[in-house]
Amino acid sequence: MVVQSITSTAREAYRNEPEKKVTLYLLVLGFIALLLGTLFGPLQAFNYGGIDLYPFLKPLLKSYYQGLTLHGVLNAIVFTQLFAQALLLYLPAKALGLRPNMTLSWLSWWMAFIGLGTAAIPLFGNQATVLYTFYPPLQGHWAFYVGAAVFVLSSWVTAFTVLGMWLRWKRANPGKVTPLVAYMSVVTWMMWLLASLGLVVEVAVFLIPWSLGLIKGVDPQLTRTLFWFTGHPIVYFWLMPAYVIAYGLMPKQAGGKLFSDPLARLAFLMLLLFSTPVGFHHQFADPGVETNWKFVHTVLTMMVAVPSLLTAFTLAASLENAGRARGGKGLLGWITKLPWDNPSVTAMLLGLISFIPGGAGGLVNASFSLNQVVHNTAWIPGHFHLQVATMVTMAAMGASFWLLPHLTGKPLLGRSYALASVWLWFIGMNLMAFALHWMGLLGVPRRTPIAQLRGEYDGALPFMALNAVSGVILLVAAIFFFYVFFATLLQSKLLPASQVPEVPFAGAVSGPEHNRVAETTERLGLWFVVAIVLVVIAYGVPLVEMFSNINPVPGQKLW
Amino acid sequence: MEKNHRAIETFERLWLLFVLGMLVFFLVVITGMLRTHGGTVPERAERIDATKVRTEGNFANPRVVFEGGRYIAYVQAFAYGYLPAEITVKKGLPVTFYVTSPDVQHGFYVENTNINIQVIPGQVAQVTYTFKRPGVYRIICNEYCGLGHQNMFGKIRVED
């Protein structure tokens, strides 16, 4: 009887707020991908620690490279996109007080699900062991490219759903400034629509016909360029949901207010403008891109560091505001007064701390001349594990601690495990990233099963040991986290309606009303055109040159 | 509160100035480095038919030639090795490497130097470097190129 009444209450909640259900589906699918992908993480850490566990997985996995492909695809592409789809559909709906188009919302979930399933078959069957960058001429099974395309296009459906909802709001509220969280979400989707064009063209125009045998070859330099057209801004697509949480929710969770609402808008607008025309900083070592164009992208990459450095200031000011409101005194006393007992806030704080060395490393990578030292070394995974695997993932972990109870009406189970999981994740990731950075400087390559070699990289042994240790810590962290996540999700207990957590929208010390910055940044149609112009300036000439000199190379399957 | 707020805004402006100053400084240093050490930035020498790399032209005969006081090395990076497997040059003399691939993408990273090329089929990469210290330098493939990628090494012997 009890169970029945609970189910009917939950069903009723979903009838009143159907967007909660689709958000939950997107979120859970994303975290299942993270769970699967994360299982391969310790294997990678152990490999860079000189321990090869792949022979024990032979019936399941054919090679290190298959495991690495699954790790990268599931964590970096699938999990991140689904989390963005869940969060940046739900939050703008709540911020605007509108219902998203439910048909489109469910269409996006089904596309993501079907795309994922389609790509999973060749991935698990070792028919697409091409890593998550899938550089031609390595040629995966067509189902991998088709599945990936359907999966990525599902994000376009979410983008149009949110843009449509926002336009409805604009029509009903002429002359008003969009609520901050909705503004940030809309900007993120606009950025992604422009940025993902490269990947969509690469896959739809070249890789799918090629993998089906309709065209004989593709130009690896051109497809690489299209890949990185999307490949850099995709990291902002991963990051911006974390920024939405950091600006829009975290100040409230920490017990304070956002320092400046207009500054947050300015940072997001700069991300819209400068995220995309920077892809050549991943191609500094490519022979087919002219040095002058690489330099143009270097300058623009420095520009895209500005919004992140502004963010660092605004968030620190907002957290100080919160810490002092909670009675923090003195120069640094406010830090200890922050709610460190709240796993959701702690996850964000630890993620943001990791983002400082991560960002500094990013400036190194962007520095054309320094990149020669670190390109394709272990330094690079060291860098992005601070950014995406620590900052972005911890933001998502932290969000799940309130979002899951909010969506399901169920209480968070295992709060102390939640707290332990974020600390262990933070420690493990920082240790591993530190080690990988040093190994990179010592010349150890990325994406390489060095545990299968004998003594080739002995110079890096102390750092290899750190990798092995971090693998153990991260495995424990992952077990704790997924225990909390799935125990919370699968329990039948419900919270009384009054105790279900609300979306913690933060107020601002200085708001957007009658503010010039807020009014200027609101003109998103115009700014979108400026973003396109910047992309045309940065990419126009090199892309026209490449498209008019296509030099096809046949595919290879070398795994 | 109001006083605090204004103080934060002042700090914020100072921070923004610091940020912009720092980035401009970085760009100046990068430009300077490219002018003095730009030889290791890979550039395209030419486009090439990847399917004929093994049979026609300079790369069908991978070798090091010495002419006019400098070395020219024609290098094939293939799955899984380099041709010539060993390159021998004298220290203090400029070496120009032309590198291409007949199959998939590879890395051409020379340990303890700034030579780090993304080798792309269809493109001939060019870099120039002068080895200052004698010794044996490993060439390491740092781009995934198939099952044997981890075993893909080459060797440069720099003589006194």
Side-chain angles (χ1 to χ4, degrees):
Chain A
M1 253 337 268
V2 177
V3 173
Q4 203 180 359
S5 77
I6 283 167
T7 344
S8 66
T9 330
R11 213 172 283 147
E12 206 168 299
Y14 288 144
R15 197 161 47 235
N16 294 334
E17 294 175 277
E19 63 275 14
K20 276 191 171 177
K21 190 171 176 184
V22 74
T23 304
L24 183 68
Y25 270 61
L26 287 163
L27 191 73
V28 170
L29 188 61
F31 275 98
I32 290 173
L34 181 70
L35 169 62
L36 287 176
T38 296
L39 291 177
F40 300 102
L43 293 175
Q44 295 301 318
F46 291 141
N47 166 63
Y48 274 99
I51 305 161
D52 183 15
L53 295 182
Y54 279 93
F56 302 104
L57 298 164
K58 213 58 182 187
L60 277 173
L61 286 179
K62 298 288 173 251
S63 70
Y64 163 90
Y65 298 110
Q66 193 190 0
L68 183 56
T69 303
L70 285 162
H71 179 65
V73 169
L74 289 170
N75 284 355
I77 295 180
V78 177
F79 161 66
T80 48
Q81 181 187 309
L82 282 164
F83 181 68
Q85 284 177 287
L87 196 78
L88 301 191
L89 174 72
Y90 190 72
L91 289 184
K94 289 291 146 184
L96 297 174
L98 291 176
R99 172 143 310 141
N101 181 315
M102 288 314 296
T103 315
L104 286 180
S105 301
W106 279 111
L107 176 68
S108 70
W109 187 84
W110 278 105
M111 283 175 71
F113 183 70
I114 292 168
L116 190 54
T118 310
I121 298 166
L123 282 171
F124 282 99
N126 198 29
Q127 294 303 307
T129 300
V130 288
L131 306 189
Y132 79 106
T133 45
F134 47 86
Y135 295 141
L138 285 177
Q139 189 181 45
H141 192 277
W142 61 264
F144 169 70
Y145 302 114
V146 170
V150 173
F151 181 79
V152 170
L153 288 177
S154 92
S155 71
W156 284 20
V157 176
T158 312
F160 288 124
T161 311
V162 174
L163 288 176
M165 191 165 58
W166 177 60
L167 290 176
R168 254 191 289 152
W169 187 89
K170 288 297 274 185
R171 272 196 300 275
N173 298 275
K176 274 202 194 164
V177 174
T178 311
L180 179 62
V181 166
Y183 179 84
M184 295 190 286
S185 309
V186 168
V187 170
T188 306
W189 286 120
M190 287 180 121
M191 187 286 289
W192 178 239
L193 281 177
L194 175 60
S196 53
L197 274 176
L199 188 67
V200 169
V201 171
E202 182 199 5
V203 174
V205 176
F206 295 105
L207 302 189
I208 292 177
W210 176 57
S211 61
L212 288 168
L214 300 176
I215 52 175
K216 287 270 169 289
V218 293
D219 184 336
Q221 182 66 72
L222 171 59
T223 47
R224 226 180 114 78
T225 304
L226 291 170
F227 180 86
W228 286 116
F229 179 103
T230 302
H232 193 73
I234 204 174
V235 307
Y236 290 102
F237 179 54
W238 303 340
L239 181 62
M240 283 157 85
Y243 275 12
V244 171
I245 296 171
Y247 276 114
L249 313 179
M250 183 187 69
K252 165 90 172 176
Q253 291 177 295
K257 282 182 170 181
L258 176 64
F259 163 60
S260 167
D261 168 301
L263 259 190
R265 292 170 197 267
L266 185 62
F268 266 70
L269 182 66
M270 290 183 78
L271 288 168
L272 170 65
L273 296 181
F274 296 114
S275 288
T276 310
V278 299
F280 287 164
H281 78 244
H282 291 256
Q283 296 178 275
F284 284 147
D286 282 24
V289 180
E290 266 183 51
T291 304
N292 290 336
W293 287 111
K294 289 174 182 170
F295 190 78
V296 169
H297 283 226
T298 306
V299 177
L300 288 163
T301 311
M302 293 294 166
M303 294 299 296
V304 81
V306 175
S308 283
L309 287 158
L310 273 182
T311 299
F313 183 92
T314 313
L315 294 184
S318 308
L319 288 170
E320 181 171 349
N321 170 290
R324 295 205 187 282
R326 296 168 65 93
K329 298 263 183 293
L331 189 60
L332 297 173
W334 56 272
I335 297 175
T336 50
K337 289 285 180 190
L338 291 171
W340 291 96
D341 57 334
N342 179 338
S344 190
V345 177
T346 303
M348 278 308 288
L349 294 174
L350 297 176
L352 287 166
I353 290 170
S354 314
F355 204 62
I356 297 170
L363 282 171
V364 171
N365 304 341
S367 302
F368 197 164
S369 43
L370 287 179
N371 178 74
Q372 284 301 121
V373 182
V374 297
H375 176 74
N376 274 354
T377 67
W379 168 287
I380 303 299
H383 163 69
F384 67 68
H385 276 82
L386 285 176
Q387 310 297 76
V388 63
T390 315
M391 168 79 244
V392 174
T393 308
M394 288 189 79
M397 289 161 74
S400 75
F401 297 144
W402 66 263
L403 188 55
L404 210 48
H406 171 81
L407 295 173
T408 59
K410 297 171 179 179
L412 181 71
L413 280 188
R415 196 185 162 86
S416 49
Y417 283 99
L419 203 53
S421 77
V422 296
W423 274 104
L424 290 172
W425 193 275
F426 166 75
I427 293 166
M429 279 296 174
N430 276 274
L431 202 59
M432 185 182 78
F434 170 77
L436 285 174
H437 276 90
W438 272 107
M439 288 166 75
L441 293 179
L442 294 170
V444 177
R446 69 187 288 194
R447 314 181 139 180
T448 305
I450 63 170
Q452 294 175 18
L453 302 173
R454 287 287 156 263
E456 301 288 357
Y457 298 106
D458 275 357
L461 273 175
F463 301 106
M464 287 167 68
L466 285 183
N467 257 295
V469 173
S470 74
V472 177
I473 297 174
L474 285 165
L475 184 61
V476 176
I479 291 169
F480 283 7
F481 172 73
F482 284 108
Y483 161 70
V484 172
F485 187 90
F486 287 104
T488 300
L489 178 70
L490 299 174
Q491 68 187 318
S492 53
K493 197 178 156 204
L494 281 183
L495 285 166
S498 60
Q499 284 179 31
V500 174
E502 286 301 309
V503 180
F505 285 122
V509 177
S510 43
E513 301 81 16
H514 314 295
N515 178 291
R516 238 191 28 228
V517 174
E519 278 159 15
T520 315
T521 51
E522 184 72 11
R523 304 181 64 186
L524 281 175
L526 175 73
W527 289 116
F528 191 65
V529 174
V530 176
I532 294 173
V533 170
L534 277 174
V535 168
V536 170
I537 291 172
Y539 268 111
V541 174
L543 273 182
V544 166
E545 199 267 347
M546 285 183 200
F547 269 103
S548 37
N549 290 284
I550 289 182
N551 186 10
V553 175
Q556 306 265 350
K557 185 172 176 288
L558 298 178
W559 64 86
Chain B
M1 193 62 219
E2 186 54 33
K3 205 178 111 219
N4 262 342
H5 190 231
R6 228 168 300 135
I8 298 178
E9 278 185 340
T10 311
F11 281 131
E12 184 197 352
R13 258 177 226 127
L14 288 173
W15 170 250
L16 188 60
L17 275 178
F18 167 75
V19 162
L20 292 175
M22 176 180 79
L23 296 177
V24 168
F25 172 72
F26 287 171
L27 283 171
V28 169
V29 174
I30 293 165
T31 313
M33 291 298 290
L34 286 172
R35 282 183 172 276
T36 54
H37 294 74
T40 53
V41 172
E43 297 202 41
R44 175 168 58 220
E46 56 174 329
R47 285 194 174 86
I48 193 169
D49 183 342
T51 59
K52 294 185 177 145
V53 163
R54 285 188 161 118
T55 50
E56 290 176 17
N58 274 322
F59 295 95
N61 177 20
R63 67 200 186 279
V64 183
V65 290
F66 184 73
E67 52 183 44
R70 57 193 300 130
Y71 293 96
I72 297 173
Y74 297 96
V75 182
Q76 240 193 65
F78 66 98
Y80 306 99
Y82 298 92
L83 285 175
E86 190 172 326
I87 292 168
T88 306
V89 295
K90 285 219 164 14
K91 74 163 193 187
L93 294 172
V95 188
T96 297
F97 294 93
Y98 293 101
V99 189
T100 196
S101 159
D103 41 48
V104 295
Q105 297 190 31
H106 297 283
F108 184 90
Y109 167 72
V110 182
E111 223 172 4
N112 298 321
T113 72
N114 288 343
I115 303 173
N116 199 342
I117 306 172
Q118 185 82 28
V119 185
I120 299 176
Q123 311 280 330
V124 176
Q126 171 187 352
V127 297
T128 299
Y129 186 76
T130 305
F131 291 90
K132 289 175 198 71
R133 275 191 300 263
V136 176
Y137 294 72
R138 276 191 302 180
I139 307 168
I140 299 172
C141 176
N142 57 14
E143 183 59 80
Y144 167 58
C145 54
L147 273 184
H149 157 59
Q150 69 277 13
N151 297 311
M152 184 167 163
F153 293 100
K155 204 182 272 183
I156 299 173
R157 193 177 294 281
V158 178
E159 296 177 337
D160 227 336

